Amino acid sequence: MKTGAKILVESLVHEGVDTIFGYPGGTVLPIYDELYDSSLRHILVRHEQAAVHAADGYARASGRVGVCLATSGPGACNLVTGIANAYMDSVPIVAITGQVPTTLLGNDAFQESDITGITLPITKHSYLVNNVAELGNVVHEAFYIAGTGRMGPVLIDIPKDVQTDVVTEPVAVPEKVSIRGYQPTVRGHPRQIEKAASMIAEAQRPVIYAGGGVIASGSDAELMRLAETLMIPVTTTLMGLGAIPSHHPLNLGMLGMHGTQSANYAITECDLLIAIGARFDDRVTGKLESFAPNAQVIHIDIDPAEIGKNKAVDLPIVGDVGHVLKEINKKLTEQKVQGPWNGRLSEWKRQSAESEVFDTSLLTPQYIVRTLSDILKGAGIIVTEVGQNQMWAAQYFSFTRPRQWITSGGLGTMGYGFPAAIGASIACPDETVIDIAGDGSFQMNIQELATVVQYDIPVKVMILNNQYLGMVRQWQELFYEKRYSYTEMPSVDFVGIAKAYGVPGICVTDPADVSDAIQESLSHDGPFVLDFRIEREENVMPMVPAGAAINEMILGDKR
Amino acid sequence: MRPHTISVLVENRPGVLSRVAGLFTRRGFNIESLAVGTCEEPGMSRITAVVIADDDIIEQVKKQLNKLINVIKVSDITYTDHVAREIALVKVAAEAGQTRAEVMQLADNFRARIIDVGTRSVVLEVTGDTGKIDALVSLLQQYGIKELVRTGKIAMTRGSKTVSSKK
Ligand SMILES: Cc1ncc(C[n+]2csc(CCOP(=O)(O)OP(=O)(O)O)c2C)c(N)n1
Ligand SMILES: [Mg+2]
């Protein structure tokens, strides 16, 4: 005799879950009662949005499925943004929500909301469990769906009576999941792979465009083999940072709206574009017609729906990126790409590096991120908020490995970084986890300072505080004649706030203090807040105006 | 842009219709017609939807439909030789006498059946492709159509080829 709540908790343990992030309420009381003496660790956040972002950060840092739990109605609705965020970035999470009892469903009962309906377009799949006998199988399926194929969020909505109902006969849950309508293609088509290998061998000016799929599938080593065997330069998307070390000679840097000159020029001039686990997002391609205009395109992706969605593809290969790359690599023979292409590239790389120079006599965000990067020497996990802070982090931190970079790419969710950093820190307790924050974004989930104190989660928050919604201000400066409409935010005493929660902090105003302040935060055994009062109107450069071709970059004023 | 006839084989689960419809509505498309019913396989349903859109957009929506866990098979049969039928029930104002005689004559020409006769109206049942039903409806308009119900189009490819789950 087991209740639904007990089955749920046991199933989670069976799936290998060690930690869940949640917030209680009326319709999840039976589950919380079960958690009371379970081995499962539960982190009580201060807002459900933080629970789902933390589960997401946990998943990205560890490669395992993240789990969050919320009550029905307001609790479930507070998960929505985070579920959409995980959906856009293909992050495997399982979100569990309580629901009003089955007898009240559809009655506008207290704290009822149709959360499976609300999240229909932002979940990979969802379940409304109305029979306790199905629960064990549902949980097993949910983890399978979330964590295979193109990964994504799965929601399980469990009415309260299903949590208290008992199964008398134990229900067998087959270990191997078989779902008729869900059979992701793992192996690439051999003929396509053959063709890819010969297209790559024949190309004069090939470029690899690597996205988040390389990280998700753990295929960075195969990517490197492909690039190094034929000396093919690599550019990564925001989501693909870490797939190739920042300092690798073949790395052109990030492409797209805030990409490097080298990456954007190389894309424009290449004759073969090898897109790997990437989806030709508009922030990457700019004006589509001018994106890789002279190139044949090979597109490798696990999701057939991404092939040809935005850009016509000459050779599609549907399959797991790691598997496909491995097969392609088997067919390649060493053959150096012609000198001129690599000569062009090194010239562009030199130009890009030049534009990265910044004034060290001022407190600039670039200098802060670079200093952090130098101090960490390739270690650590960098999580970001959204806006200029995110782009400076992407541009100026030197990444050495996959899963070291955690950012809200597709949805661009302000408030993501701090809770995601909590999740990452829980997943990787031995890593230094930094949230590079904006003053606006941090205030969207600042209440989680209470959580890091309660559980002593040693996340370091580095606020690049410009007292602006900086990225929006930048657009207003460039495209709206500096009409700064509602983007200025008066100074907040972040150190004072942190202190009130019990977190130490330092406010930095002088560039000479940056290094020491960072060192101090890192050597402190616990959470820490750094409030950097940066140059207020610093811009993220280079920048491709929305809708322009990616080689039409504004390079900005060099300091 | 042209009407596409899409046949979707789905597991008969709660929410599956919303999921399928959602992939059209998120693009602001209207579903011109929709027919859902059980099919040759137990636990499965077949959805036939008619949507007006460009070929490449339909191709994209098809791929997205295929990603839905409860969707087993999606076919755009627009360009495949197929038979299609729709049923309409039309309640026409037709007092006994001259008008009614005319309506019944029309019904006869369209091989429609009179399935209910009231003092002031008759109900016609007509089966055919969309064009035939449109034609009858427009002819009946002059008498006054009190109510019109159409099932939406159902379709099937000709010959022994099937739109079934066997890949
Ligand atoms: C939840 C949410 N609301 C609004 C936006 C639009 N937006 C994008 S960047 C940005 C400014 C972010 O300000 P801040 O966190 O201070 O970062 P900064 O750009 O100044 O580094 C805003 C408002 C968003 N991305 N997310
Ligand atoms: Mg700011």
Side-chain angles (χ1 to χ4, degrees):
Chain A
M1 292 261 285
K2 275 183 193 166
T3 64
K6 192 172 183 68
I7 293 171
L8 173 70
V9 171
E10 285 184 1
S11 304
L12 292 176
V13 172
H14 181 77
E15 296 298 328
V17 177
D18 52 23
T19 309
I20 66 178
F21 304 89
Y23 206 90
T27 60
V28 283
L29 275 165
I31 299 173
Y32 271 85
D33 192 57
E34 205 54 54
L35 287 172
Y36 192 69
D37 19 58
S38 160
S39 64
L40 262 187
R41 182 176 185 201
H42 174 280
I43 303 289
L44 175 67
V45 292
R46 296 301 186 270
H47 187 302
E48 289 89 351
Q49 189 186 103
V52 56
H53 287 330
D56 173 312
Y58 176 99
R60 294 195 209 208
S62 66
R64 299 198 299 272
V65 177
V67 182
C68 62
L69 171 63
T71 192
S72 64
C77 287
N78 274 344
L79 296 180
V80 170
T81 304
I83 293 173
N85 188 76
Y87 186 70
M88 288 291 267
D89 287 347
S90 310
V91 179
I93 61 169
V94 169
I96 299 162
T97 48
Q99 182 53 281
V100 301
T102 50
T103 47
L104 292 180
L105 276 174
N107 273 3
D108 301 323
F110 178 64
Q111 295 194 327
E112 176 182 7
S113 59
D114 174 9
I115 195 64
T116 51
I118 290 169
T119 59
L120 215 56
I122 52 167
T123 45
K124 185 170 172 186
H125 196 52
S126 57
Y127 298 87
L128 169 55
V129 184
N130 44 33
N131 178 355
V132 67
E134 291 167 8
L135 187 56
N137 263 306
V138 163
V139 173
H140 193 46
E141 250 182 52
F143 274 79
Y144 176 73
I145 291 172
T148 55
R150 178 173 182 175
M151 298 175 198
V154 177
L155 179 109
I156 309 177
D157 197 23
I158 314 176
K160 192 172 183 179
D161 53 339
V162 174
Q163 298 168 32
T164 49
D165 280 353
V166 289
V167 286
T168 35
E169 296 283 303
V171 184
V173 177
E175 201 50 41
K176 186 167 161 30
V177 178
S178 116
I179 305 168
R180 192 164 159 202
Y182 178 67
Q183 267 129 25
T185 309
V186 175
R187 291 164 181 282
H189 196 287
R191 226 176 22 243
Q192 302 292 88
I193 287 171
E194 196 87 50
K195 275 192 209 152
S198 66
M199 282 168 77
I200 295 170
E202 279 160 29
Q204 302 294 307
R205 301 184 306 280
V207 168
I208 292 171
Y209 148 44
V214 174
I215 312 279
S217 63
S219 44
D220 49 295
E222 294 294 345
L223 174 80
M224 295 301 296
R225 182 164 324 150
L226 173 63
E228 285 173 348
T229 310
L230 295 184
M231 299 287 284
I232 306 174
V234 181
T235 171
T236 71
T237 65
L238 183 73
M239 295 296 296
L241 290 174
I244 171 171
S246 297
H247 281 311
H248 193 286
L250 288 171
N251 190 354
L252 300 168
M254 182 169 81
L255 82 168
M257 180 172 277
H258 292 296
T260 61
Q261 285 150 279
S262 43
N264 288 356
Y265 292 157
I267 291 282
T268 308
E269 302 216 354
C270 68
D271 67 350
L272 178 68
L273 182 69
I274 311 164
I276 307 177
R279 60 185 178 88
F280 296 86
D281 180 76
D282 51 274
R283 283 293 189 264
V284 158
T285 62
K287 190 171 162 202
L288 256 177
E289 304 79 64
S290 318
F291 185 74
N294 309 314
Q296 293 222 290
V297 179
I298 299 175
H299 190 183
I300 306 169
D301 205 283
I302 186 112
D303 181 0
E306 287 303 338
I307 307 277
K309 185 179 80 177
N310 295 337
K311 166 106 183 148
V313 169
D314 299 284
L315 184 77
I317 307 181
V318 174
D320 174 73
V321 163
H323 189 273
V324 172
L325 287 182
K326 198 168 178 180
E327 292 303 312
I328 292 179
N329 283 337
K330 278 189 203 158
K331 302 205 156 31
L332 295 179
T333 43
E334 201 112 357
Q335 174 200 18
K336 298 269 184 273
V337 173
Q338 267 81 355
W341 180 235
N342 280 331
R344 297 283 290 285
L345 296 173
S346 14
E347 171 56 19
W348 289 332
K349 279 190 79 163
R350 200 185 51 73
Q351 281 176 23
S352 305
E354 241 169 43
S355 69
E356 283 187 6
V357 173
F358 40 82
D359 189 340
T360 46
S361 70
L362 297 170
L363 187 53
T364 64
Q366 297 90 337
Y367 172 66
I368 295 166
V369 175
R370 214 13 94 67
T371 307
L372 172 73
S373 187
D374 292 345
I375 291 174
L376 286 176
K377 292 194 193 70
I381 295 177
I382 305 301
V383 190
T384 76
E385 299 292 345
V386 164
Q388 294 182 311
N389 57 87
Q390 177 183 32
M391 292 301 137
W392 287 317
Q395 292 175 329
Y396 288 87
F397 194 87
S398 286
F399 300 96
T400 53
R401 64 169 183 90
R403 301 202 181 279
Q404 184 181 17
W405 166 248
I406 296 178
T407 200
S408 167
L411 201 65
T413 314
M414 289 172 67
Y416 169 79
F418 186 33
I422 291 176
S425 183
I426 298 279
C428 306
D430 299 330
E431 294 280 354
T432 302
V433 179
I434 314 277
D435 173 32
I436 296 186
D439 49 316
S441 300
F442 184 45
Q443 291 185 77
M444 284 208 177
N445 273 315
I446 196 167
Q447 76 287 343
E448 297 309 314
L449 283 167
T451 309
V452 295
V453 170
Q454 180 171 0
Y455 299 98
D456 195 21
I457 302 167
V459 169
K460 320 293 178 186
V461 182
M462 291 181 37
I463 311 164
L464 305 179
N465 184 356
N466 47 16
Q467 294 165 52
Y468 274 121
L469 297 170
M471 187 57 96
V472 182
R473 185 209 56 74
Q474 175 169 340
W475 283 57
Q476 289 172 336
E477 175 186 334
L478 297 174
F479 312 116
Y480 293 87
E481 294 135 18
K482 291 202 178 188
R483 288 156 55 85
Y484 294 162
S485 182
Y486 303 103
T487 40
E488 187 169 14
M489 297 178 299
S491 165
V492 171
D493 177 9
F494 285 113
V495 171
I497 293 172
K499 189 165 166 234
Y501 274 105
V503 175
I506 306 176
C507 182
V508 181
T509 54
D510 185 340
D513 299 334
V514 169
S515 184
D516 286 351
I518 293 176
Q519 297 279 13
E520 184 171 343
S521 78
L522 295 180
S523 52
H524 175 76
D525 186 17
F528 206 93
V529 169
L530 287 166
D531 178 8
F532 292 104
R533 302 296 172 101
I534 62 168
E535 280 300 294
R536 295 195 59 205
E537 301 200 4
E538 188 66 31
N539 285 333
V540 177
M541 291 295 164
M543 175 173 193
V544 178
I550 58 165
N551 61 343
E552 294 165 13
M553 287 179 279
I554 308 172
L555 298 175
D557 45 30
K558 281 198 199 124
R559 285 171 184 281
Chain B
M1 296 249 279
R2 58 159 299 165
H4 284 258
T5 305
I6 306 191
S7 179
V8 192
L9 181 68
V10 299
E11 287 177 311
N12 194 355
R13 293 276 176 80
V16 67
L17 187 59
S18 310
R19 284 178 213 273
V20 169
L23 288 179
F24 293 101
T25 53
R26 70 180 283 207
R27 294 167 180 270
F29 290 171
N30 188 30
I31 298 179
E32 301 296 315
S33 105
L34 185 68
V36 191
T38 53
C39 63
E40 73 280 358
E41 273 193 74
M44 299 283 156
S45 290
R46 184 167 275 111
I47 300 176
T48 311
V50 178
V51 183
I52 299 177
D54 290 330
D55 288 5
D56 51 340
I57 304 256
I58 290 293
E59 186 56 30
Q60 179 60 27
V61 173
K62 238 180 83 182
K63 288 177 179 170
Q64 290 177 337
L65 283 169
N66 260 317
K67 280 171 70 171
L68 296 175
I69 309 289
N70 298 138
V71 167
I72 307 294
K73 171 101 183 174
V74 186
S75 313
D76 179 359
I77 60 173
T78 313
Y79 301 108
T80 314
D81 198 13
H82 66 271
V83 285
R85 288 293 180 270
E86 212 184 309
I87 298 179
L89 302 181
V90 199
K91 188 175 288 176
V92 191
E95 303 270 352
Q98 176 65 17
T99 325
R100 183 166 295 187
E102 278 180 36
V103 168
M104 296 182 61
Q105 181 58 46
L106 258 179
D108 206 39
N109 292 345
F110 279 80
R111 286 199 235 150
R113 298 198 302 148
I114 309 286
I115 55 173
D116 185 56
V117 180
T119 50
R120 298 227 166 90
S121 63
V122 293
V123 177
L124 271 65
E125 174 206 308
V126 59
T127 305
D129 61 21
T130 306
K132 172 180 167 185
I133 292 174
D134 286 348
L136 176 61
V137 166
S138 87
L139 285 170
L140 288 172
Q141 224 108 45
Q142 55 183 312
Y143 306 103
I145 293 177
K146 299 176 136 195
E147 197 176 342
L148 171 65
V149 185
R150 299 171 72 149
T151 53
K153 174 168 157 179
I154 55 170
M156 190 176 272
T157 55
R158 287 183 188 273
S160 52
K161 213 170 149 252
T162 60
V163 177
S164 75
S165 53
K166 314 287 180 304
K167 293 212 172 149

